[in-house]
Amino acid sequence: MFALRNIPSQPPPWSPALWSKDQVIEKSPSKKNAKHKKLTDAWRLYFARPGVRTAFRMLTGLVMGHGPTQSMLANVGRSASSGNVDDTIQLLTACHWIESTSDNSTSKINLNGIGILAETLLDELKEDNSAVAKQIGTIRRKTRARKKEIAEERRSKALVSMSAFGSLTGGRKLEETRIRTDTSVSSGTAETSSGGVRDVAASMLAPVLGLFGAQNSSSAATAVATTSATANSRAIATARAKIDEKKQGETKSTPEKPSWMAEMEAMEDETGLTCSVCQEGRTLQPTELLGLYAYIKKVSIPHNHCGGRAQVDGTRLLLSLPSNLPGSLLGTDLDEEYFLPAKEAANALRNTSYASTSFASVAQSRRPSHFVTTVTAGNAIHCSCHATARTADRNHPKAPKSEWEGASLRNNRVACNAIMPLVSSRSSKVPLMAVEVALTDYQTIISNMLGARPKSMLWSVLHDMRLLLLRMAYGEALNTDCAGGSLSSNAMLLFHEMFMADMFARDAEHDSPETAKHARSLSGGLVAAYEILDADDFDRAGSSTAASMLRSLADGAPMAALCCILFHNEKDDNNTDSGNPVSSSSPNPQRRWVLQKEKFLCSLIICAGRRHALGVEDSGCLTPRGGTKARLRSSSFSEWDMVEDGNDAPETSVSGTTSSAKRNPPSILGNRGLPQIDEYASALRPMITLYAILDQLSAGFIVEMADEKIEECVSQLVKTVEACQRCKTIHELLQKANIGLDQERIIEELQKGLMLSD
């Protein structure tokens, strides 16, 4: 195999964790140095070989989701000669050596990114393959155990060098003297052992009895010992009794703890996110602002692919509302709770320049709208720690790094180009200046990405969340942009972006009231528009207002559903006098999403029909490769390639778009009966999955959430997404999403969107 050609038969010598304890290169120091140099040179030549990186990339692509290839490569090895011993190097072992080592600047060895490629290959080999995963796990556990062993050895050496637990000087002699004294006293032979007793007694009682003066002559010493033997024995017994009493008292009482131990026990345990540098979070460092390492990229979506900014943010929806409700809806809760606030927001928007440009943008449908989309690997860092590390990386004497090159190392080798500040009610102890600086840096990065300063950071974050939800709904791989990150880490990002959007909305109420009204009233405008279009006394035939309203409802449905959860999840929609939402520990049972979820579902189904009619096959965030957009899905996304019936139904691609459907969308008037739901299963799938995600998000989101609560909600959200992705049929998906609409109603709503192909 090319990847194993000329690879050394022993692990890199500068990585001790890959060597067992009893492994020795050579006994002689000179030979050991020669062997070490020879092995180092061999690894240097291997890492410098041309084509090794390409070989690992090709192997990764071959084993991706293919069990037989994974099992075959797991048993591939190469026979190599190491001295006089023939070794067989397994591919798994070689990859583990490479992933567990690092650059060696002393020997001028650079891995050239092969380490991360080897790690990725091992991860793909064990994906959905329990046998290979067991082999890889065994190899990695052995190295982890060796690392622990080395750490324990170094710790023991450090403690011994500090004499932290060594024997006290003279302690052994004192113990021997005590034992000899106990034996002499208990035997009652003070005279026969008078020499030993005399020595001990002299050392203990000399300050009191002045026995050192009795050593003037040997005869005087003998006389003193003979006449005071009984007194000495009594004195020794008394001293021993006092010592025993003192020992018993110390045993019964609690030993006094050192001050540093008391301080450590008094410290609270860190919970939630922690800094990747100092390993402390909000509990131990409440005045330091945390941020998430993130990767932001610019995406451009044409207007005729559901990318018009005024359409997707609901501006056209609010402006297309009629001046008055139909007579059947006047005086209802819809009038006061939904329609009137939406009309107030529309009137506020009419006085802005953005409203006039939103209508002019229809004529410029060929120009795309620009957004940003963010992904993360879930690694947090203090903004101050990042600044310190950035300075250290730039001023490194041997290997200076750029800001984001060093940040990627702290981000577990995942690419990043921004720090998203984690602003919420839990960051209230952070100085306001630190928050302002972090938000300014974040906004500057977005401005540089877009090429212009965003008119509203609130809508920039809302569009970012909308695109992230669409990427999850379409089952797109979230780790292709930055070579890292998972569904759970990006679900956590979604919650923190919602906290940031809530903060921007509160700021907009003072700086730009019409922007805040727009966002808060959008969900009510969608509910009102759906009810108006569904009213019996509303003139739909030949009405341009009805067509414009339906088209705007389809385009703005995802954003309206998101704003409903963000701004109305803690408010009782049945209580008109509730005012502002009160803080609570859980969403309100009578929140807007619960009361109006069927209307949001129907609007999302209409959106699915419109996207299907326009030929929209993805979220719009896929990176173009070679002039076309590569269709990348997560490995757990079950493929729906064609209709299960064996009849003449047309083949349906993964995205659910058929060539005939793109050219001639079905019409209600042109068919005698509605088509079956299986014919549009793949077209419905993304929006049904999005509805399930939003429903689960509404079940747990509140503005004030602790990190533990966020982790719990993220876990439930990931389970929901994975359950939807594993569904084999549209019927199973509808059941998983808890949708009770009958199939005829779903097809009817879908047909409304299919007619909006212009």
Side-chain angles (χ1 to χ4, degrees):
M1 177 178 289
F2 179 81
L4 294 178
R5 186 182 302 170
N6 296 332
I7 190 170
S9 58
Q10 290 179 304
W14 62 89
S15 299
L18 298 175
W19 295 77
S20 61
K21 189 174 182 180
D22 55 348
Q23 254 182 324
V24 180
I25 296 181
E26 287 291 345
K27 294 183 179 180
S28 173
S30 59
K31 291 183 178 181
K32 178 178 179 180
N33 292 336
K35 183 75 173 189
H36 185 283
K37 185 177 183 304
K38 182 179 179 181
L39 189 57
T40 302
D41 293 340
W43 277 107
R44 183 189 297 108
L45 292 175
Y46 177 77
F47 289 136
R49 274 184 57 205
V52 175
R53 290 166 53 88
T54 305
F56 276 101
R57 288 197 183 98
M58 293 175 65
L59 290 175
T60 302
L62 288 173
V63 304
M64 189 176 296
H66 195 264
T69 306
Q70 294 171 348
S71 302
M72 186 271 291
L73 286 181
N75 298 319
V76 166
R78 182 186 69 85
S79 297
S81 179
S82 177
N84 297 324
V85 181
D86 291 335
D87 300 327
T88 299
I89 306 172
Q90 297 293 330
L91 177 64
L92 299 184
T93 303
C95 290
H96 178 64
W97 288 351
I98 297 173
E99 73 166 348
S100 301
T101 191
S102 59
D103 296 342
N104 189 350
S105 57
T106 305
S107 302
K108 298 181 180 180
I109 294 179
N110 188 0
L111 268 64
N112 298 319
I114 300 178
I116 188 64
L117 294 176
E119 181 182 356
T120 304
L121 176 58
L122 289 179
D123 291 339
E124 290 296 339
L125 280 170
K126 71 176 186 178
E127 188 72 24
D128 297 331
N129 194 322
S130 57
V132 178
K134 185 177 180 181
Q135 297 181 43
I136 297 175
T138 301
I139 298 174
R140 287 176 170 174
R141 280 194 299 272
K142 183 178 178 181
T143 302
R144 285 197 296 267
R146 178 58 181 151
K147 287 182 179 179
K148 291 181 180 178
E149 186 179 356
I150 294 174
E152 288 293 335
E153 291 176 357
R154 292 176 179 174
R155 178 176 176 272
S156 300
K157 290 180 181 179
L159 292 176
V160 169
S161 64
M162 294 186 297
S163 295
F165 296 97
S167 59
L168 297 175
T169 304
R172 184 183 183 91
K173 294 182 179 179
L174 185 60
E175 185 65 22
E176 292 176 356
T177 303
R178 182 180 302 170
I179 295 174
R180 188 168 63 248
T181 303
D182 294 344
T183 305
S184 301
V185 173
S186 62
S187 63
T189 57
E191 288 81 359
T192 58
S193 57
S194 58
V197 174
R198 183 169 60 252
D199 294 341
V200 176
S203 63
M204 294 179 60
L205 304 176
V208 180
L209 302 178
L211 295 180
F212 290 111
Q215 298 180 1
N216 294 328
S217 63
S218 59
S219 59
T222 305
V224 172
T226 304
T227 55
S228 60
T230 306
N232 290 345
S233 300
R234 292 176 181 174
I236 293 172
T238 303
R240 291 184 69 254
K242 291 182 178 180
I243 293 174
D244 292 341
E245 290 178 0
K246 185 177 180 180
K247 287 183 177 181
Q248 292 177 2
E250 290 177 353
T251 303
K252 294 180 181 179
S253 61
T254 304
E256 185 178 356
K257 298 179 181 179
S259 58
W260 61 268
M261 184 177 294
E263 291 179 3
M264 290 188 65
E265 291 181 351
M267 293 173 63
E268 298 182 31
D269 293 334
E270 189 62 74
T271 56
L273 292 172
T274 57
C275 175
S276 58
V277 174
C278 66
Q279 302 301 318
E280 295 178 344
R282 292 190 177 102
T283 302
L284 300 179
Q285 293 287 349
T287 59
E288 293 289 339
L289 181 63
L290 273 173
L292 278 179
Y293 276 132
Y295 184 85
I296 304 176
K297 75 171 184 178
K298 176 182 177 181
V299 294
S300 301
I301 306 177
H303 283 240
N304 57 359
H305 279 70
C306 300
R309 186 177 292 272
Q311 284 78 18
V312 296
D313 67 8
T315 301
R316 294 289 305 277
L317 174 62
L318 294 176
L319 295 178
S320 63
L321 291 174
S323 56
N324 295 305
L325 284 173
S328 60
L329 300 177
L330 289 174
T332 61
D333 293 338
L334 178 72
D335 192 357
E336 298 180 1
E337 279 294 304
Y338 303 103
F339 182 72
L340 290 180
K343 287 299 295 182
E344 291 180 4
N347 293 332
L349 283 174
R350 290 184 193 277
N351 300 325
T352 62
S353 59
Y354 180 65
S356 58
T357 57
S358 66
F359 286 98
S361 63
V362 178
Q364 303 172 352
S365 59
R366 292 186 178 182
R367 293 184 57 188
S369 297
H370 305 296
F371 307 94
V372 293
T373 177
T374 308
V375 290
T376 182
N379 296 312
I381 189 172
H382 287 127
C383 294
S384 58
C385 292
H386 174 76
T388 304
R390 176 184 57 197
T391 304
D393 289 337
R394 184 173 59 249
N395 299 330
H396 195 281
K398 293 184 178 180
K401 304 179 184 68
S402 64
E403 177 181 3
W404 300 114
E405 183 182 2
S408 65
L409 297 178
R410 294 183 290 275
N411 196 29
N412 293 338
R413 297 183 179 180
V414 177
C416 54
N417 57 9
I419 294 180
M420 194 194 82
L422 302 183
V423 290
S424 65
S425 59
R426 298 196 67 197
S427 60
S428 58
K429 295 183 180 180
V430 179
L432 184 60
M433 182 60 66
V435 177
E436 290 290 340
V437 171
L439 289 176
T440 301
D441 293 342
Y442 179 68
Q443 184 174 357
T444 301
I445 292 173
I446 293 180
S447 301
N448 294 335
M449 198 74 61
L450 292 174
R453 182 183 177 89
K455 295 182 179 179
S456 171
M457 280 301 297
L458 170 61
W459 283 108
S460 295
V461 176
L462 287 174
H463 284 300
D464 195 349
M465 288 189 290
R466 178 183 64 88
L467 291 174
L468 180 57
L469 287 170
L470 286 176
R471 296 179 75 174
M472 293 181 182
Y474 276 94
E476 297 171 359
L478 302 176
N479 58 358
T480 56
D481 296 334
C482 57
S486 62
L487 180 59
S488 59
S489 64
N490 286 284
M492 178 188 66
L493 172 67
L494 180 63
F495 279 89
H496 289 294
E497 284 189 321
M498 294 180 77
F499 300 147
M500 179 181 286
D502 178 75
M503 184 207 65
F504 283 134
R506 295 176 188 272
D507 292 343
E509 290 178 353
H510 304 283
D511 301 335
S512 181
E514 67 278 359
T515 301
K517 278 186 178 181
H518 178 189
R520 295 186 183 276
S521 303
L522 179 57
S523 60
L526 181 133
V527 174
Y530 185 85
E531 289 285 2
I532 292 172
L533 291 170
D534 198 46
D536 294 334
D537 53 346
F538 178 69
D539 184 17
R540 290 181 295 272
S543 174
S544 60
T545 303
S548 176
M549 194 186 311
L550 183 60
R551 187 180 298 105
S552 302
L553 181 141
D555 291 335
M559 182 65 78
L562 176 60
C563 290
C564 173
I565 298 172
L566 177 59
F567 299 115
H568 302 278
N569 222 40
E570 300 176 58
K571 182 180 177 181
D572 188 350
D573 252 30
N574 276 339
N575 186 3
T576 58
D577 299 328
S578 61
N580 294 328
V582 295
S583 58
S584 60
S585 58
S586 61
N588 196 298
Q590 299 298 319
R591 57 191 181 275
R592 178 169 296 183
W593 176 264
V594 173
L595 299 178
Q596 307 294 340
K597 63 165 57 179
E598 183 176 323
K599 297 179 180 62
F600 286 107
L601 171 61
C602 293
S603 301
L604 290 174
I605 294 175
I606 297 174
C607 177
R610 174 164 167 77
R611 294 175 74 90
H612 181 72
L614 293 175
V616 180
E617 302 178 357
D618 51 55
S619 65
C621 301
L622 296 181
T623 302
R625 296 184 180 181
T628 59
K629 290 188 176 181
R631 185 65 176 168
L632 298 176
R633 289 183 181 269
S634 58
S635 58
S636 60
F637 205 101
S638 178
E639 300 292 346
W640 294 358
D641 290 330
M642 54 192 308
V643 181
E644 295 181 358
D645 296 338
N647 53 17
D648 297 333
E651 286 193 3
T652 307
S653 64
V654 173
S655 62
T657 304
T658 60
S659 57
S660 60
K662 292 180 184 178
R663 294 189 299 266
N664 300 312
S667 171
I668 298 178
L669 299 177
N671 294 335
R672 295 183 178 180
L674 293 176
Q676 297 296 320
I677 194 172
D678 294 305
E679 298 182 24
Y680 296 101
S682 295
L684 287 167
R685 183 177 196 175
M687 291 300 116
I688 298 298
T689 304
L690 178 60
Y691 169 80
I693 295 173
L694 292 169
D695 194 29
Q696 182 60 51
L697 189 63
S698 173
F701 174 77
I702 55 176
V703 174
E704 297 182 1
M705 297 179 69
D707 288 345
E708 296 84 354
K709 182 64 176 178
I710 294 176
E711 291 178 3
E712 180 183 346
C713 293
V714 165
S715 177
Q716 296 297 325
L717 188 61
V718 170
K719 290 180 181 178
T720 299
V721 177
E722 291 178 345
C724 292
Q725 289 178 346
R726 286 193 297 266
C727 292
K728 302 297 183 182
T729 63
I730 184 62
H731 306 282
E732 183 181 355
L733 179 60
L734 293 174
Q735 184 178 2
K736 289 288 184 181
N738 296 321
I739 294 177
L741 289 180
D742 57 86
Q743 296 186 18
E744 293 183 359
R745 175 77 180 279
I746 294 175
I747 291 298
E748 182 182 348
E749 300 294 344
L750 183 67
Q751 288 281 352
K752 295 179 182 178
L754 292 173
M755 300 300 297
L756 303 173
S757 59
D758 51 345

